Structure formats: C-alpha cells, structure tokens
C-alpha cells in the first residue's frame, strides 16, 4: 500500500476490531521474520489481536526509499505513523508496539513522537537508547568527538557483496546464512524448517549508500572511520540516534517490557559487532586500549535508562533469557508471548 509517500508492504493477521499490535523488525530482515512467531503463537488466540507487521523501507517488498540518517531512525518511525493513519487497525486505539533489535529503536522513536498512540512497548534485544557503538559509559558519553567506529563504514564488505548477489551458501563466515545462524540466534537449529524463509528476509535487504549500510567518512581516531549522513547503519550511530532523555521525559509513559538474551552476539556489553570490543579481542588491529576506546555497555545502558524512566513515573519489566541469542521471539517465544499478553491485558 502507499503510505507516507512510499510503497510499503504489510502483513496483517486477525480482525480489524482486535487488539492492535504492531510488529517492527530489525536490521537485515523484514516483517517476514515475525511470521513463525505469529503462526505458532498468536494465530487463533482466544483474545483476537489485530497484528500488523510492515517491511521497513529498504527491506522485504517495501520500496527501497532513501534513508536520511541525520534524522536517526525517524524516517522509519514516520513510515509507521503513516501506516497507522491509513486505517490498518480499523480504529485509532493505542497500539502495543513490539520491536526487535533496530526495530526497537524505531519503536522508541515512534513512541517519543506519538506517545498517545502507544499502549505498551515490548523491546526484544533492543539497540541501546544511545545508539550502536561509540559510547563509553552508562550515560552514553561519546568515545570520540566524531563518533569514530560507528555507522556505514563499520559493515563487513564481503557480507555486503554477498547480500547483493543473493548468496545462499553457508560455508564462509561472512555469508548471510552463516551470519544469520551464528549471530541472530545462539543455537543454529533454532529456525528449524523456517531457515530458508528466514534467510529470504535477510537477503531482502536493499544495499547501497542510501540503504544498507550507508555512507561513511574518514576519521583521525581509531578505527579511522566515522558515520556518514545516509543509510541504515548511520541511523543508529550515536551521532544521530540518542533518545534516552526523550524516553525519560515521555508523557504519557506506556508500560515497557524488555527482554534480552545472555548469549546475544549483537546487542550486549561484549558485542561481536562493536569494533571497540573486537579491538579488545585483537580481531581489529590498532585498538588504542580500554581507557581510550572501551566497548559499549549496551545492556547496562538500556537498564540505566529504563530505571530512570521508572523513577520518572513509568514502569518497566526486565526479563533476561539465559542462553538466548539475538532473537527472543525465535528462541524463547513463550517468554515474548507472556510479555505481549501482559501488555495487551493492561490495555483492556
């Protein structure tokens, strides 16, 4: 459908009069990444839900419209708002917004911009409210003035090339299948019979400077690359995305459920996608040391912000999932379902 000036592909389940739930996927996937969870755990629910799972711009079957990274994740959040205005839920009732990874950042931005439209916020493996990479402490202090080590220049070129060619092999560690099986989940068998369909969502990612990964600029600070102004990875650089203060100041404050996996390779205090942590491991040469460039405490930052959110009158519930990787709705669907049920029940 056309909404917000671009063509957006949307999956819907359930009656228009059901309780509204909006599912927001993460980076290098699509709305299809939610399908097994909906199929196996939400279809035929005793309390009918109206579920909407869009493909964000540049993913799935949505238009590969350019992403203005200087707006943080707001291009994506604006697209969601346009979809809600198109009547997909059949009412203007507040929705429970469920995010995964980058999609949680989109959900945060959407909630900040339209708090009256959000009945509850479910964050699964969320990007930190201070963005991805380039910050040193629980307050989100930038590691360098130009946010070196974040943005479009941090992506692996071979992974990008394999996305472009639709590579479905799995022998090389930089192949989309290998990345999905090693980084999206802690147990490579977690996708089961849905593995090929889930790989389709990864391969649906539009590549280039306007989409994934985006552009970059040189830096005088290690690792000699800083964020640009276009494309997906730059949207999550703390140069452009830092929403902690806006979250804490929200009014009204919807209840928040936060689920994270202790074996998450992407979003953690020891992320294998954080160049500072890879430098500490010796995997990226030239690391200047922990004092100059410590790994980002991603989980700690999210907890600190949500504790401030609660102190300012909000409410949140944290659920740590032992041994779970980056996809709680794939690996621990029962826990995600329970959190969703708590939020939808609170909206009765």
């Amino acid at each position: 459908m056309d909404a917000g000036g671009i063509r957006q592909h949307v999956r819907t389940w359930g009656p228009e009069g059901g309780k509204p739930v909006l599912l927001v996927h993460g980076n290098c996937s699509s709305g299809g990444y939610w399908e097994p969870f909906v199929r196996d755990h939400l279809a035929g629910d005793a309390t009918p839900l109206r579920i909407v799972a869009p493909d964000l711009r540049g993913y799935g079957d949505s238009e590969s419209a350019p992403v203005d990274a200087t707006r943080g994740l707001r291009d994506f959040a604006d697209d969601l708002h346009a979809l809600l205005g198109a009547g997909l839920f059949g009412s203007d009732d507040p929705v429970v917004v469920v995010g995964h990874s980058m999609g949680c950042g989109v959900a945060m931005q959407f909630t900040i911009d339209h708090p009256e439209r959000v009945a509850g916020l479910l964050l699964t493996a969320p990007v930190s409210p201070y963005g991805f990479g380039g910050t040193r402490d629980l307050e989100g202090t930038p590691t360098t003035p130009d946010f070196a080590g974040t943005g479009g220049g941090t992506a692996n070129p071979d992974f990008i090339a394999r996305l472009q060619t639709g590579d479905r092999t799995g022998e090389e560690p930089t192949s989309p299948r290998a990345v999905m099986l090693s980084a999206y989940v802690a147990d490579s068998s977690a996708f089961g019979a849905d593995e090929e369909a889930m790989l389709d969502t990864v391969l649906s990612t539009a590549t280039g400077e306007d989409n994934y990964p985006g552009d970059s600029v040189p830096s005088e600070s290690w690792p000699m690359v800083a964020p640009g102004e276009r494309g997906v990875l730059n949207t999550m650089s703390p140069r452009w995305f830092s929403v902690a203060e806006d979250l804490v100041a929200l009014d009204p404050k919807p209840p928040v459920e936060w689920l994270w996996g202790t074996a998450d390779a992407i979003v953690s205090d020891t992320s294998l996608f954080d160049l500072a942590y890879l430098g500490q491991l010796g995997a990226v040469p030239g690391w200047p040391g922990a004092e100059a460039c410590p790994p980002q405490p991603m989980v700690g930052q999210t907890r600190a912000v949500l504790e401030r959110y609660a102190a300012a009158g909000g409410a949140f519930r944290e659920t740590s999932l032992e041994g779970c990787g980056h996809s709680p709705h794939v690996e621990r669907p029962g826990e995600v379902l329970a959190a969703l049920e708590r939020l939808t029940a609170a909206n009765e």
Side-chain angles (χ1 to χ4, degrees):
M1 66 182 300
D2 290 330
I6 67 169
R7 187 187 71 258
Q8 301 190 54
H9 180 258
V10 183
R11 294 166 180 79
T12 61
W13 297 267
E16 288 189 358
K19 292 184 178 181
V21 175
L22 178 64
L23 305 179
V24 189
H25 69 82
N27 187 23
C28 293
S29 63
S30 75
Y33 200 61
W34 294 104
E35 285 205 27
F37 175 67
V38 175
R39 178 196 67 210
D40 297 339
H41 301 281
L42 296 180
D45 193 282
T47 304
L49 302 176
R50 174 61 169 177
I51 302 167
V52 171
D55 294 340
L56 298 175
R57 62 170 64 195
Y59 298 94
D61 292 322
S62 285
E63 184 177 340
S64 298
V67 177
D68 180 356
T70 68
R71 306 183 74 233
L73 290 162
R74 193 169 261 124
D75 276 2
F76 297 120
D78 285 353
D79 291 344
L80 297 183
H81 187 243
L83 284 176
L84 264 64
L88 285 172
F89 287 108
S91 74
D92 292 329
D93 292 342
V95 304
V96 172
V97 185
V98 184
H100 173 236
S101 191
M102 180 189 78
C104 294
V106 178
M108 293 178 206
Q109 188 65 65
F110 177 82
T111 304
I112 289 164
D113 293 344
H114 309 284
E116 74 287 350
R117 296 305 312 269
V118 180
L121 193 56
L122 174 48
L123 306 175
T124 65
V127 62
S128 164
Y130 294 109
F132 195 92
T135 56
R136 63 170 52 248
D137 54 29
L138 299 185
E139 291 74 41
T141 305
T143 303
T144 64
D146 64 351
F147 303 94
T150 72
T154 66
N156 185 292
D158 193 58
F159 175 69
I160 298 167
R162 290 173 183 274
L163 280 179
Q164 291 171 332
T165 61
D167 178 18
R168 304 188 72 90
T169 66
E171 290 77 17
E172 296 298 324
T174 53
S175 73
R177 185 188 300 273
V179 170
M180 184 184 78
L181 294 179
S182 64
Y184 285 33
V185 291
D187 178 357
S188 61
S189 68
F191 294 113
D194 294 307
E195 181 178 322
E196 295 302 321
M198 297 301 94
L199 179 59
D200 287 341
T201 75
V202 180
L203 293 174
S204 76
T205 303
T207 57
E209 290 192 336
D210 281 328
N211 297 108
Y212 178 85
D215 63 348
S216 64
V217 297
S219 172
E220 294 184 358
S221 301
W222 184 90
M224 312 310 170
V225 64
E229 299 184 351
R230 300 156 57 195
V232 173
L233 290 190
N234 293 309
T235 66
M236 291 179 281
S237 166
R239 180 185 181 190
W240 306 120
F241 180 78
S242 185
V243 298
E245 299 307 318
D246 289 335
L247 276 176
V248 172
L250 264 176
D251 183 23
K253 288 180 168 63
V256 178
E257 294 270 353
W258 168 37
L259 291 84
W260 61 279
T262 63
D264 192 334
I266 298 176
V267 174
S268 82
D269 293 354
T270 53
S271 169
L272 294 177
F273 289 73
D274 178 2
L275 291 186
Y277 183 62
L278 290 175
Q280 180 178 298
L281 295 178
V284 179
W287 181 61
E291 183 174 349
C293 191
Q296 179 188 7
M298 301 180 189
V299 174
Q301 287 177 346
T302 297
R303 181 178 296 113
V305 171
L306 289 178
E307 287 175 346
R308 290 175 55 203
Y309 184 86
F316 84 96
R317 177 173 181 149
E318 173 184 352
T319 304
S320 62
L321 304 172
E322 188 66 31
C324 180
H326 189 59
S327 300
H329 66 286
V330 174
E331 300 170 84
R332 300 287 194 279
E335 297 277 7
V336 177
L337 178 62
L340 178 58
E341 289 175 339
R342 288 192 290 269
L343 289 177
T344 54
N347 192 35
E348 291 181 347

